[in-house]
Amino acid sequence: MTRLLLIGPPGAGKGTQATRLALAFDVPAISTGDIFRYNVTNNTPLGARVKSFMDAGAYVPDSLTNAIVADRLEEADAATGFLLDGYPRTTDQVAELDRMLLAGGNQLDVVVLITADTEEVVARLLKRAAEQGRADDTADVIRHRLDVYAEQTAPLIDVYSARGLVVTIDGLGTVEAVTDRILAALAERGLHRGSSTL
Ligand code: ADP
């Protein structure tokens, strides 16, 4: 029964850590970015609705994003826990997630904030652009995504801090080092990983 959120700027390494933490805690990693990208790649009706927002580095409208997450959390594998990566990103999404959790009589355990300074995240995203060619990894769009994060998502840190849920993790260093930091911080909060090998 582990319910985690990962928050951090684009390029902080959320996706990478999400996969590893999900394995460690034996819960599904649910990434709204991955769900949207999958739909764009496969030309689904949802993909057609979200593509222009994603390409521009803008957020997909809350109503659509909330509906996608509500559906995903209804699936059987999320009943006993989950790790949400990239959701919520707006105060409206926080309210909606609160409502979903309350409806199931559940609550969040911890919000993991992964930090990395702007220079580092821009460098990482440009490197990823060269390697993977993601449509939203161009210099202009990256800058816009960082602005949108600062404006719309960074305020969520205060909201969750006020609830005593936030652990802040330095996202600089190797993938393994960052995972170890997160696992140590979670263990301090009484959240202990299972036995799967990372
Ligand atoms: P990153 O955080 O590295 O920019 P993600 O893969 O998490 O990348 O998200 C990519 C894009 O998907 C976002 O720029 C946005 O367009 C869309 N997206 C993902 N999650 C959300 C969300 N919770 N609300 C609105 N849009 C989202």
Side-chain angles (χ1 to χ4, degrees):
M1 291 280 197
T2 311
R3 294 185 177 82
L4 303 173
L5 299 188
L6 277 189
I7 294 193
K14 294 184 302 290
T16 307
Q17 297 300 329
T19 308
R20 296 168 61 79
L21 294 171
L23 196 62
F25 286 95
D26 195 22
V27 292
I30 300 173
S31 156
T32 41
D34 284 351
I35 293 172
F36 291 146
R37 262 188 300 283
Y38 174 87
N39 280 276
V40 170
T41 304
N42 290 285
N43 292 310
T44 68
L46 173 64
R49 290 177 71 184
V50 303
K51 185 177 186 323
S52 60
F53 296 106
M54 296 184 74
D55 286 353
Y59 284 171
V60 172
D62 284 333
S63 54
L64 194 51
T65 308
N66 287 329
I68 296 298
V69 173
D71 276 357
R72 181 63 186 85
L73 290 183
E74 294 279 302
E75 286 179 37
D77 65 341
T80 55
F82 54 74
L83 185 155
L84 277 169
D85 158 21
Y87 181 93
R89 284 194 206 214
T90 66
T91 47
D92 181 82
Q93 292 178 16
V94 170
E96 209 42 40
L97 178 62
D98 284 344
R99 202 192 50 71
M100 292 177 222
L101 288 167
L102 195 65
N106 299 315
Q107 51 190 20
L108 292 174
D109 294 303
V110 170
V111 175
V112 178
L113 168 65
I114 305 183
T115 62
D117 67 27
T118 305
E119 252 173 69
E120 171 71 16
V121 300
V122 171
R124 287 184 189 179
L125 292 169
L126 288 172
K127 182 162 173 273
R128 185 171 75 186
E131 289 165 1
Q132 298 174 14
R134 226 175 88 168
D136 60 350
D137 278 345
T138 63
D140 279 357
V141 177
I142 289 169
R143 209 170 309 120
H144 185 60
R145 281 157 62 204
L146 288 167
D147 287 346
V148 174
Y149 174 83
E151 191 182 301
Q152 300 214 42
T153 304
L156 272 48
I157 298 162
D158 283 345
V159 172
Y160 285 122
S161 293
R163 301 184 191 179
L165 288 175
V166 176
V167 299
T168 302
I169 304 293
D170 179 359
L172 290 193
T174 63
V175 167
E176 292 77 12
V178 175
T179 307
D180 287 347
R181 273 177 220 149
I182 297 173
L183 291 174
L186 293 178
E188 251 175 58
R189 295 213 160 206
L191 293 176
H192 296 282
R193 56 163 301 183
S195 53
S196 28
T197 318
L198 293 183

